[in-house]
Amino acid sequence: RDTLTPEEYDIGKERVKVAYGILFMLPGIPSIYYGDEIGMEGMKDPYNRACMNWENPDKELLHYFENLTSFRAQNSEFLAEADFRIVSCEDRCLVLDRKLNNKTLRLITNTSKFEIDIPDELKQVNYKIVFKSNEENEYTLKPRSIIVFEIEE
């Protein structure tokens, strides 16, 4: 088989969003493997990656990458200097902080296939949502998705 089923593609797309969301919050300079931003598939040789296919991009995924790179650019000075800390990693939920002075960017990921609740302690601080992979709200996180909060102390 040299292509994904529509269901496999949708799950893969959600996983790509989570992976790049984490990557763009880590220290260092993120890099996008060509074609990921438009949903190019790659299987075994000779189908592992063809030439860039701009004729039929996944526009939703491209829009996600445009927003993600814009988010990173808007916070580049902060992320270049901010401390990095893994807050928790359990039950398919990763929480990490980037902190500098009185500002924290907190990434919460849900890699499971179930919706999860946002931790209660976040509801007790002054925050705003600054990036999300889906139509998340501030209390729940959909399956295979991310959300980034800016917390002011």
Side-chain angles (χ1 to χ4, degrees), residues 56-114:
N56 192 22
D58 180 321
K59 291 181 180 161
E60 177 196 336
L61 194 55
L62 182 58
H63 183 67
Y64 173 80
F65 273 93
E66 289 168 345
N67 289 337
L68 184 61
T69 55
S70 177
F71 164 77
R72 177 71 186 209
Q74 291 167 3
N75 292 283
S76 63
E77 289 182 28
F78 172 83
L79 291 169
E81 301 294 327
D83 292 331
F84 170 80
R85 181 173 76 99
I86 295 176
V87 177
S88 67
C89 184
E90 54 189 49
D91 298 327
R92 302 187 65 92
C93 177
L94 168 69
V95 180
L96 64 85
D97 282 353
R98 299 297 307 274
K99 181 179 172 104
L100 182 65
N101 301 323
N102 294 330
K103 177 181 171 181
T104 301
L105 289 180
R106 173 163 291 169
L107 169 74
I108 303 176
T109 68
N110 176 11
T111 62
S112 78
K113 57 183 177 180
F114 305 103

